[in-house]
């Protein structure tokens, strides 16, 4: 398992220097700073406790630059929950102390040592086994799995009680451990991929050195893989990954089996599963074919799944919301963290950042939507994880439809096999409405006034009918330099059906720096009040306003309708 990039959490400016030093050892890590107190950070948060709990529950390692007590109190309520236990460390603001707090099995002591070494101090390690042997036996490096944690704990306490130990098999990471080794020892550490019960006095560790090439045609695939491993007398924990033919990349049964077995699923070209396995690990003796759809290959050392074939590529079309980071869905934030490539109009890509050095940004002009969509599939077909960025919601006058249009027009099977997902965002009309009150509180419609991609006559017809139907209306793309007259005409049409006193909300750059919100009447509204960064919400016949205590005005459309 690769560890997630840690989050470095700071409360004030005083700890930024130390945070930056730590970021140098973990280039993937983002610095999270308290909004209003520290600005020069990668992510801003509003509330320390909530942020810490969220990171913890997402299994993100936490390096908090503050008192250990604050961290402990903030996480107390989530500690008893089963589930993630990422490493959590408190580091003194000035970098003079590094205290591993939680996540012993997740490698917190290793991190504490790394950070402490980088800062030139000693880590406050308190784990007895670590202190004595310089390593945590219960936390083998990636590529190895401990067979049984509870048995392991007893083993370590026997070892601490003064027993000596013998190592069977290859455990290169223990070379530097200060273990009391002796050939005559009662206790053994056994490293191997064979299926066996841990003997008494034995710490059993399985190297993940087995690959199973599979085909989606095998019924009950996960169970079949388990049976194949059992038949070959191989421990299930030694399974490093599944490998399948790239033509079966989109097959749900394959993905379900990999998820059930808890291993990555990789893809390559091959005539049969034996062929796949043989090509993936060419240094092997002939792989064992088991039945029709399975072939098993065992390597001498742990297999890094990233080196086998490639992953299924992914395209996520995301909505950033109107602007402010708090209005972005957590699923979108998580997607931004996992992406290899980010495509979009430069302004939005910048809004979605900051990005890590390993993430590739492809900024393009706003009008090249189809080119951008095709580029996304080209990258994803190589196994990359690609994000296409929209502002607001990707399905509202934005990239989601362009991406589907490009896909439908393509006859490249590799494009169709890519995993495609749209992640929603808060659209500008909804963000604007929320600030004004509830102008869209009853039936409403959204209309783009841009006639770039549809004839003006259609827009006129829709405006006329929507106004007649007494729908409240949200106008996207209301005006631009190349479309100067359309808004005026649109308002003329609406005015045929609606009273001049009808409230209109104008939201400009909502949830962005310099935002403004105005309420005018339909009679007062002139196109000069509006630009391309404005959302225009036109009320229905029932939309009303009243004074708010802070001097502004609430606008809302009641849920009911006057009865005739
Ligand atoms: N997908 C976007 C809309 C893209 S169309 C969404 O769901 O919000 C672009 C239009 O959206 C702009 O011309 C403007 O009318 C509106 N818009 C986008 N962001 C806005 C914001 N932050 N404030 C006000 N209007 C905005």
């Amino acid at each position: 398992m690769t560890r997630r990039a840690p989050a470095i959490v700071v409360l004030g400016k005083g700890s930024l220097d130390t945070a930056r030093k730590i970021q140098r050892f973990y280039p993937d890590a983002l610095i999270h700073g308290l909004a209003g107190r520290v600005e020069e950070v990668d992510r801003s948060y509003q509330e320390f406790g909530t942020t810490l709990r969220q990171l913890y529950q997402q299994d993100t390692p936490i390096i908090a630059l503050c008192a250990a007590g604050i961290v402990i109190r903030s996480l107390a309520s989530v500690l008893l929950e089963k589930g993630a236990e990422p490493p959590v460390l408190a580091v003194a603001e000035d970098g003079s102390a590094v205290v591993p707090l939680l996540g012993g099995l997740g490698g917190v002591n290793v991190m504490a040592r790394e950070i402490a070494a980088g800062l030139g101090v000693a880590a406050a390690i308190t784990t007895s086994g670590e202190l004595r042997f310089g390593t945590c036996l219960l936390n083998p490096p990636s590529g190895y799995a401990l067979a049984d944690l509870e048995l392991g704990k007893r083993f370590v306490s026997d070892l601490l009680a003064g027993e000596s130990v013998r190592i069977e098999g290859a455990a290169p990471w223990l070379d530097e451990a200060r273990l009391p080794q002796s050939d005559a020892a009662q206790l053994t550490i056994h490293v191997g991929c064979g299926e066996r019960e841990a003997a008494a006095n034995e710490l059993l560790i399985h190297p993940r050195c087995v690959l199973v090439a599979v085909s989606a045609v095998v019924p009950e695939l996960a169970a079949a893989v388990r049976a194949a491993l059992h038949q070959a007398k191989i421990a299930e924990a030694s399974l490093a990954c599944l490998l399948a033919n790239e033509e079966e990349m989109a097959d749900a049964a394959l993905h379900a089996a990999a998820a059930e077995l808890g291993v990555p699923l990789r893809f390559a070209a091959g005539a049969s599963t034996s062929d796949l396995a043989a090509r993936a690990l060419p240094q092997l003796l002939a792989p064992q074919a088991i039945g029709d759809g399975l072939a098993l290959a065992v390597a001498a050392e742990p297999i890094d799944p990233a080196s086998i074939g490639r992953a299924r590529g992914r395209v996520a079309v995301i909505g950033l919301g109107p602007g402010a980071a708090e209005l972005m869905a957590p699923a979108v934030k998580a997607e931004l963290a996992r992406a290899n490539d980010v495509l979009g109009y430069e302004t939005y890509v910048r809004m979605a950042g900051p990005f890590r050095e390993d993430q590739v940004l492809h900024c393009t002009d706003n009008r090249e939507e189809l080119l951008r969509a095709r580029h996304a599939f080209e990258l994803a077909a190589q196994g990359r994880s690609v994000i296409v960025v929209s502002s607001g919601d990707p399905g509202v006058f934005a990239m989601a439809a362009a991406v589907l249009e490009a896909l439908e027009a393509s006859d490249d099977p590799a494009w169709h096999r890519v995993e495609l997902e749209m992640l929603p965002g808060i659209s500008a009309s909804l963000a604007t409405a929320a600030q004004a009150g509830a102008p869209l509180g009853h039936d409403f419609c959204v209309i783009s006034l841009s006639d770039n991609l549809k004839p003006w006559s259609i827009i006129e017809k829709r405006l006329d009918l929507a106004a007649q139907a007494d729908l409240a209306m949200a106008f996207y793309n209301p005006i631009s330099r190349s479309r100067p007259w359309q808004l005026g005409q649109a308002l003329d049409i609406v005015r045929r059906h609606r009273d001049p006193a009808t409230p209109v909300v104008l939201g400009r750059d909502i949830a962005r720096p310099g935002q403004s919100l105005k309420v005018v009447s339909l009679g007062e509204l002139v196109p000069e009040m509006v630009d391309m960064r404005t959302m225009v919400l036109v009320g229905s016949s029932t939309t009303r306003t009243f004074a708010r205590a802070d001097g502004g005005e609430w606008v809302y459309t009641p849920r009911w309708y006057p009865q005739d």
Side-chain angles (χ1 to χ4, degrees), residues 210-213 228-229 231-234 273-275 277-278 284-291 293-298:
V210 180
L211 168 158
V212 180
L229 291 168
Q231 196 189 329
K233 299 199 166 50
I234 288 173
T273 48
S274 308
D275 184 35
L284 280 187
L285 309 175
Q288 294 172 267
I290 296 179
L294 297 178
L296 204 134
V298 184

Side-chain angles (χ1 to χ4, degrees), residues 255-461:
H255 293 276
E260 190 181 331
L261 294 164
V263 293
L265 175 58
R266 309 289 297 182
F267 297 92
S272 63
T273 48
S274 308
D275 184 35
L276 279 171
R279 290 210 224 171
L281 293 174
Q283 72 274 31
L284 280 187
L285 309 175
Q288 294 172 267
I290 296 179
D292 284 340
L294 297 178
L296 204 134
V298 184
E301 294 191 340
I303 295 172
D304 175 9
S307 70
I308 304 294
R310 58 195 159 81
R312 183 185 187 194
R314 172 173 167 89
V315 173
V317 190
I318 63 159
L320 298 175
E326 310 89 89
L327 296 186
M328 192 192 290
V332 169
K333 287 187 189 168
E335 192 68 37
L336 286 166
R338 82 190 252 193
N340 303 123
D341 297 85
V342 183
L343 281 69
Y345 178 48
E346 189 171 356
T347 313
Y348 301 151
V349 171
R350 227 181 299 124
M351 219 162 94
F355 294 97
R356 300 184 307 265
E357 276 186 13
D358 62 291
Q359 296 180 299
V360 186
L361 310 184
H362 311 260
C363 298
T364 47
D365 189 81
N366 207 6
R367 292 186 200 167
E368 298 166 28
E369 280 115 350
L370 269 184
L371 284 179
R372 193 185 297 151
R374 291 193 199 110
H375 190 193
F377 284 109
E378 276 158 20
L379 291 165
Q382 298 161 24
R384 300 181 69 86
S385 187
V386 183
I387 280 187
V388 181
V389 185
S390 287
S391 80
D393 183 86
V396 179
F397 310 122
M399 283 305 296
V403 164
L404 288 172
E405 191 183 330
L407 182 60
E408 192 187 11
S410 162
D411 51 15
D412 185 341
W415 287 24
H416 288 268
R417 282 182 213 133
V418 157
E419 182 181 16
L420 171 60
E421 197 177 349
M422 320 297 173
L423 300 180
I426 297 175
S427 193
S429 55
L430 303 183
T432 305
Q435 292 205 3
L440 307 178
H442 207 306
D443 300 342
F444 69 97
C445 66
V446 297
I447 300 183
S448 167
L449 296 191
S450 166
D451 56 354
N452 288 341
L453 298 169
K454 63 184 165 184
W456 179 248
S457 59
I458 292 279
I459 300 175
E460 283 189 326
K461 184 171 171 191

Side-chain angles (χ1 to χ4, degrees), residues 26-84:
Y26 302 107
D28 281 2
L30 296 179
I31 300 180
H32 300 241
L34 182 58
R37 285 235 232 131
V38 252
E39 300 307 331
E40 308 84 4
V41 291
D42 303 321
R43 291 272 185 277
S44 283
Y45 64 84
Q46 298 294 325
E47 217 272 311
F48 182 77
T50 320
T51 307
L52 229 55
R53 285 187 290 278
Q54 237 171 37
L55 290 166
Y56 185 87
Q57 284 164 330
Q58 292 165 356
D59 207 17
T60 305
I62 299 170
I63 304 168
L65 278 82
C66 62
I70 303 178
V71 181
I72 293 168
R73 214 163 298 133
S74 301
L75 290 178
S77 64
V78 292
L79 291 185
L80 286 177
E81 288 172 16
K82 283 223 162 71

